[in-house]
Amino acid sequence: MKPLFFVADRPLTIDHLVELFAEHEQPERSTIRAILRELRDDYAERGIEFVQVASGYRFQTKPHLT
């Protein structure tokens, strides 16, 4: 799932992520949320961060590095 955020031209919503799967393979939204929390935690100590913004989720440079 991580590569999707690096190539997306806008923040991605949970609904958008669910829709990327075939209907019979769609994960529960709670599963998606858990994965998003893991991404946030994995990037906590790096130069970029994974954040939730009003329009979805995205990677961004940490403010103190810009």
Side-chain angles (χ1 to χ4, degrees), residues 1 4 13-36:
M1 187 178 300
L4 293 171
T13 66
I14 291 174
D15 288 338
H16 182 87
L17 295 169
V18 169
E19 291 171 4
L20 294 173
F21 294 86
E23 189 172 335
H24 66 281
E25 296 178 347
Q26 290 180 342
E28 296 290 325
R29 283 167 174 69
S30 61
T31 301
I32 298 283
R33 283 188 201 92
I35 292 168
L36 297 175

Side-chain angles (χ1 to χ4, degrees), residues 1 4-6 9-10 12 16-17 20 25 28 34 37-41 46-48 52 56-57 62 66:
M1 187 178 300
L4 293 171
F5 291 98
F6 286 118
D9 60 351
R10 65 187 190 288
L12 300 174
H16 182 87
L17 295 169
L20 294 173
E25 296 178 347
E28 296 290 325
R37 281 191 300 275
E38 287 179 24
L39 277 172
R40 183 197 62 211
D41 294 346
R46 300 182 192 198
I48 60 173
Q52 181 179 11
Y57 294 84
K62 287 192 173 181
T66 56

